[in-house]
Amino acid sequence: MVRSTFITLLAILIACCHIAISEADAQQARNHQGTITVSFDPTQPANTFSPYRALGAGVDGHERGEIDRIYQPANLRAMRSAGFKPLSYRLRTELGVEAWHWNPKGKWSDPQHQQGYWTSDSNSAQPISTCYGYHLPRQGSTTDQANNDGYSRLDDGDLTTFWKSNPYLDQHYTGEENAKHPQWVLIDLGTPQLVNAIKIAWARPFATEYFVEYGVGKLAGPEAAYLRGERAEMWRAFPKGTVHHANGSNATIQLSDSPVAIRFVRVTMTSSSGSPPPGSRDVRDGLGYAIRELYLGTVDDAGNFKDLIRHASNHDRQTVIYVSSTDPWHRAVDKDSRTEQPGLDRVFSSGLTNGLPMLTAVPLLYDVPENAVALIRYLQARLYPVERVEMGEEPEGQHISPEDYATLYLQWADAIHKVAPKLQLGGPCFAALDPIPQPNLNEQSSRSWMKRFLDYLASHNRTADFNFFSFEWYPFDEACDPTAPQLAAAPQMLATAVHEMELSGVSRQIPWLMTEYGYSAFAAQAEVDIAGALLNAEVVGQFLTLGGEAAYFYGYEPNELISELPCTWGNNMLFLRDELGRVQSPLATYHAARLLTQEWAQATDLPHRVYPAASDIQNQQGQSLVTAYAVHRPDGLWALMLINKDPQQAWSVQVQFRNSKTQVVTPWQGPTTLFQYSSAQYVWRANQSHGHPVRNLRPTQKAFADGSGVSFLLPPYSLSVVRGHGPNQ
């Protein structure tokens, strides 16, 4: 197309779409040009997907009273209008170190005292609308990943309470020696301090063999909790800290003659007494290890002990402790009324599943297999469609070893498959994947964790029980950093993370699911601004191009702005809500989702073929400033998603298709439509909890009579979809 015609079209585009761009800016864009090349082999697409299976969202637990406010008809209509089809059920109770009473009706293992191990009823006369988690009074870790309102019983200053490890990790259930599933407690003093002695107030069952080590090397904060022995050079035995034998009485152990300046101390238990408390009738009470209180510090020649641990029944005041597992035993009085999960009946009747099978989570880390089985029976009795079950949530983020997770996984799999033999089971629902290469498998990483999990399954001839791989993707922990460098780096981060999982041994013959995604695991302005919309669209386009089967957006429900970092307010969400929980306004993420589900993909349950697309527009670091994701739709049209991640510069691009077999290059054929979203449609005003969009328009649409030779103008920080006829398939 000649230059004068292009200028005329550009003027029409500006007028029709209300894009505030000057002639000088337009001229600058014409001076910044690039090419998008779609490489395709009609016989070998990079991936094939159905939007009804691949473009999903998730629902989760919320604070008290929010479930009723969220599940209002108007809110549900707004949520469904985003175009997401499959639904994933997230399990907040698992992150909060809680047992899940998914049905408020059920039975205790000790019904007389309303305590013990809980199994929800697999029947219910009334639909379940809301359900709750229950705190675990034998909790060992100081913190959790939900409301973080619990505390460790190992340093709460109360000798009537105790931590206890998970009985399902005992040889009684695993069929393996306890030494193959060692349990540990790890003390973090915060800063290096002088230590030469430890006191342990044992409960029942106690460790008959254990050893004490201290951390060395470059340990930093919670990272130490991941050091479970795979990196021997990071831990060193005290001179007198080799294997010890306990008889159940309180023990003071001098670890060295001279105090050592250390920050981290770990007690690892390898053999259990198997002795339950007096009067116990449940075999699980005598399995594992139990400790009432820990004391760490120095002892002088006179036997005087100076304790460095802060003891308090409050996680903010006590010394930080991590544990390998926690006993799911609890009581009726431990109900957490602050956090609630949506009831299964409420979710299925809401219309959010769109009649499709829901990816369902079962509790695993802090629960019992009977409760998971009852949940499956309940879904079967109600004829709710479920094909896949995710086993627990974020196990590696809660410091469980891959071998321990694997043995729980197999116990739960055995129980579930007795009632639903065809149900597909998977996980581990990684909290995070490594976005940089991990060349050393001895390093603590998601790659090494996954390899060890897979190795455990293989060594037990149970690889067939692992039917899909799932993970979460929140690439940016530094939520206060500038967004432009992060957006530019994002594609390589995801590509590296996927490659690391391939190297770990995860098969590409099973489905890969991204069961949550968003800009950051922390609240950030980027999540409610244009940057979050661009990131979300890119994540889905790239993951599908890399062979992923489905991606589930996290933040489906209307929500509010929160602050988790002093620099920013935000949330992963599609809609801002008002005080009554009603949708107040859609956000940039909503409009981006609509472009993804309605314009890039065709709203149908038919196969779409994905082909790789590349841009020659890069920054000085060699990262693509404009990225592209191409799909050939079942209606015969090609759709190209274009993301301009340059925050200042508009780019003018032309599109070409290259047959990778014949090397023939062809342009668009015939009419073409351009859908576009940028700051011309959306502007966010930050104002702490009162932040809101001051410009909030829908994406624009522009038709071209003939797309061949057209240069498409991509505004700064913009998401565009170009759709039309390309080469025939």
Side-chain angles (χ1 to χ4, degrees):
M1 182 177 293
V2 297
R3 182 180 294 271
S4 60
T5 306
F6 173 77
I7 294 174
T8 301
L9 284 173
L10 179 60
I12 295 173
L13 179 65
I14 294 170
C16 294
C17 302
H18 310 288
I19 297 177
I21 182 171
S22 67
E23 176 57 31
D25 293 332
Q27 180 61 46
Q28 188 180 31
R30 287 192 291 272
N31 293 333
H32 289 76
Q33 299 184 1
T35 302
I36 306 296
T37 301
V38 180
S39 300
F40 72 98
D41 176 349
T43 64
Q44 291 184 329
N47 194 13
T48 301
F49 74 92
S50 162
Y52 276 41
R53 308 287 169 168
L55 307 180
V59 294
D60 202 353
H62 291 271
E63 293 190 5
R64 182 176 183 177
E66 290 187 7
I67 299 298
D68 284 339
R69 289 194 290 268
I70 290 169
Y71 285 78
Q72 301 177 41
N75 285 352
L76 296 173
R77 287 193 297 271
M79 293 163 65
R80 293 184 64 188
S81 72
F84 294 124
K85 293 300 181 181
L87 191 72
S88 171
Y89 189 98
R90 317 312 299 153
L91 202 50
R92 187 177 176 87
T93 55
E94 194 92 329
L95 301 183
V97 192
E98 296 181 350
W100 183 28
H101 291 212
W102 58 265
N103 186 348
K105 296 182 178 179
K107 60 181 180 181
W108 297 95
S109 59
D110 182 0
Q112 180 180 356
H113 299 97
Q114 293 288 285
Q115 65 184 22
Y117 301 93
W118 170 267
T119 301
S120 289
D121 199 328
S122 59
N123 296 291
S124 179
Q126 300 296 325
I128 303 171
S129 60
T130 307
C131 51
Y132 296 88
Y134 283 65
H135 291 298
L136 302 184
R138 298 173 177 177
Q139 178 175 332
S141 291
T142 300
T143 60
D144 64 65
Q145 284 80 46
N147 288 333
N148 198 21
D149 53 1
Y151 59 93
S152 173
R153 274 39 174 203
L154 285 163
D155 56 348
D156 64 351
D158 186 349
L159 287 174
T160 66
T161 66
F162 57 91
W163 161 77
K164 184 173 176 292
S165 65
N166 191 330
Y168 291 92
L169 296 175
D170 186 89
Q171 59 192 18
H172 178 87
Y173 289 104
T174 67
E176 301 174 310
E177 294 181 359
N178 280 338
K180 291 188 176 182
H181 295 277
Q183 299 300 292
W184 49 261
V185 299
L186 187 152
I187 304 165
D188 180 359
L189 294 174
T191 59
Q193 300 187 54
L194 294 177
V195 170
N196 75 341
I198 189 170
K199 291 174 63 175
I200 304 176
W202 292 102
R204 290 179 178 268
F206 53 88
T208 56
E209 290 187 359
Y210 65 98
F211 54 92
V212 186
E213 302 167 297
Y214 63 96
V216 296
K218 296 181 179 179
L219 295 175
E223 292 177 7
Y226 291 93
L227 304 174
R228 289 176 292 272
E230 63 270 24
R231 296 191 64 188
E233 72 274 15
M234 303 300 287
W235 292 97
R236 185 174 300 166
F238 284 94
K240 299 181 179 180
T242 54
V243 176
H244 299 280
H245 302 273
N247 58 12
S249 60
N250 296 348
T252 300
I253 302 169
Q254 187 166 348
L255 301 169
S256 62
D257 293 328
S258 300
V260 182
I262 57 174
R263 175 178 172 181
F264 302 101
V265 171
R266 184 175 65 177
V267 180
T268 301
M269 294 151 277
T270 56
S271 181
S272 171
S273 66
S275 52
S280 171
R281 297 181 178 179
D282 193 315
V283 65
R284 289 167 288 194
D285 289 337
L287 303 179
Y289 310 92
I291 298 175
R292 296 191 181 279
E293 201 81 5
L294 287 173
Y295 311 86
L296 182 69
T298 56
V299 61
D300 59 22
D301 294 339
N304 300 312
F305 188 92
K306 178 183 178 182
D307 186 19
L308 298 174
I309 290 182
R310 301 186 307 275
H311 301 263
S313 57
N314 181 294
H315 71 269
D316 288 329
R317 296 198 300 269
Q318 65 181 190
T319 293
V320 174
I321 291 180
Y322 303 95
V323 298
S324 54
S325 69
T326 293
D327 189 348
W329 188 97
H330 58 287
R331 307 158 298 184
V333 295
D334 295 316
K335 179 179 179 180
D336 179 8
S337 298
R338 180 182 171 185
T339 302
E340 56 191 23
Q341 291 276 147
L344 295 170
D345 294 296
R346 173 172 277 185
V347 173
F348 277 100
S349 65
S350 69
L352 295 177
T353 65
N354 294 291
L356 299 169
M358 183 177 76
L359 178 61
T360 304
V362 297
L364 181 142
L365 297 179
Y366 309 110
D367 225 295
V368 298
E370 293 82 1
N371 198 33
V373 170
L375 187 154
I376 301 303
R377 286 188 180 277
Y378 186 85
L379 297 175
Q380 291 175 326
R382 299 269 174 157
L383 302 180
Y384 291 142
V386 174
E387 294 176 349
R388 293 172 177 165
V389 167
E390 202 168 20
M391 307 283 268
E393 189 152 341
E394 302 183 20
E396 100 293 0
Q398 300 181 74
H399 319 313
I400 188 171
S401 77
E403 292 80 13
D404 286 359
Y405 173 74
T407 193
L408 294 179
Y409 184 103
L410 294 181
Q411 291 177 51
W412 266 240
D414 286 338
I416 291 172
H417 278 155
K418 287 180 181 178
V419 300
K422 295 183 179 180
L423 205 58
Q424 298 178 40
L425 310 179
C429 186
F430 269 123
L433 296 185
D434 298 311
I436 58 175
Q438 301 291 324
N440 184 359
L441 273 177
N442 288 325
E443 294 284 346
Q444 176 56 35
S445 65
S446 55
R447 175 180 165 190
S448 64
W449 198 100
M450 195 64 194
K451 183 180 185 304
R452 289 167 55 190
F453 168 72
L454 294 173
D455 286 347
Y456 186 94
L457 297 188
S459 68
H460 291 71
N461 297 314
R462 299 291 297 275
T463 301
D465 286 282
F466 186 59
N467 306 126
F468 64 87
F469 167 60
S470 66
F471 68 96
E472 301 174 1
W473 186 246
Y474 298 98
F476 303 120
D477 288 342
E478 303 300 328
C480 298
D481 287 356
T483 57
Q486 293 181 329
L487 290 178
Q492 185 56 53
M493 294 170 66
L494 180 55
T496 298
V498 168
H499 184 57
E500 286 292 304
M501 288 298 97
E502 291 175 324
L503 293 177
S504 76
V506 180
S507 171
R508 295 313 299 253
Q509 302 304 310
I510 63 173
W512 288 41
L513 309 181
M514 184 183 289
T515 47
E516 291 184 22
Y517 67 87
Y519 195 94
S520 175
F522 302 99
Q525 181 178 324
E527 296 155 355
V528 293
D529 213 335
I530 286 285
L534 302 186
L535 186 281
N536 290 344
E538 176 133 71
V539 164
V540 176
Q542 185 186 11
F543 185 56
L544 293 176
T545 305
L546 291 171
E549 181 167 304
Y552 296 83
F553 171 76
Y554 184 81
Y556 204 10
E557 307 98 328
N559 217 320
E560 61 185 355
L561 299 171
I562 61 174
S563 178
E564 296 177 315
L565 300 170
C567 61
T568 186
W569 287 72
N571 215 333
N572 283 302
M573 56 185 175
L574 296 177
F575 306 99
L576 196 61
R577 73 184 188 196
D578 62 16
E579 294 81 1
L580 299 178
R582 301 171 300 192
V583 168
Q584 187 174 41
S585 63
L587 301 175
T589 47
Y590 169 80
H591 293 297
R594 290 273 305 174
L595 283 176
L596 187 75
T597 63
Q598 307 298 305
E599 312 303 347
W600 184 65
Q602 188 179 348
T604 179
D605 191 13
L606 292 174
H608 289 54
R609 290 190 279 188
V610 182
Y611 295 95
S615 162
D616 60 4
I617 302 171
Q618 297 181 333
N619 60 17
Q620 293 180 349
Q621 290 74 38
Q623 300 164 324
S624 294
L625 282 177
V626 174
T627 47
Y629 302 95
V631 62
H632 190 244
R633 303 168 13 138
D635 60 7
L637 298 179
W638 284 83
L640 189 63
M641 180 164 59
L642 302 171
I643 304 171
N644 181 6
K645 293 174 283 188
D646 192 324
Q648 303 296 330
Q649 179 61 54
W651 286 86
S652 178
V653 300
Q654 286 192 329
V655 178
Q656 64 181 19
F657 297 84
R658 182 185 299 275
N659 189 311
S660 56
K661 278 191 173 181
T662 65
Q663 300 303 311
V664 173
V665 176
T666 56
W668 289 104
Q669 307 290 324
T672 304
T673 305
L674 172 67
F675 304 88
Q676 206 154 66
Y677 192 66
S678 71
S679 60
Q681 287 75 48
Y682 187 88
V683 174
W684 177 262
R685 176 172 291 170
N687 185 20
Q688 297 184 346
S689 63
H690 301 292
H692 62 282
V694 293
R695 183 184 302 150
N696 198 359
L697 306 174
R698 291 179 294 179
T700 61
Q701 179 177 340
K702 172 65 178 179
F704 296 87
D706 184 0
S708 60
V710 171
S711 291
F712 299 101
L713 179 65
L714 309 181
Y717 260 22
S718 63
L719 173 63
S720 304
V721 173
V722 183
R723 194 174 69 211
H725 291 280
N728 295 327
Q729 288 281 304

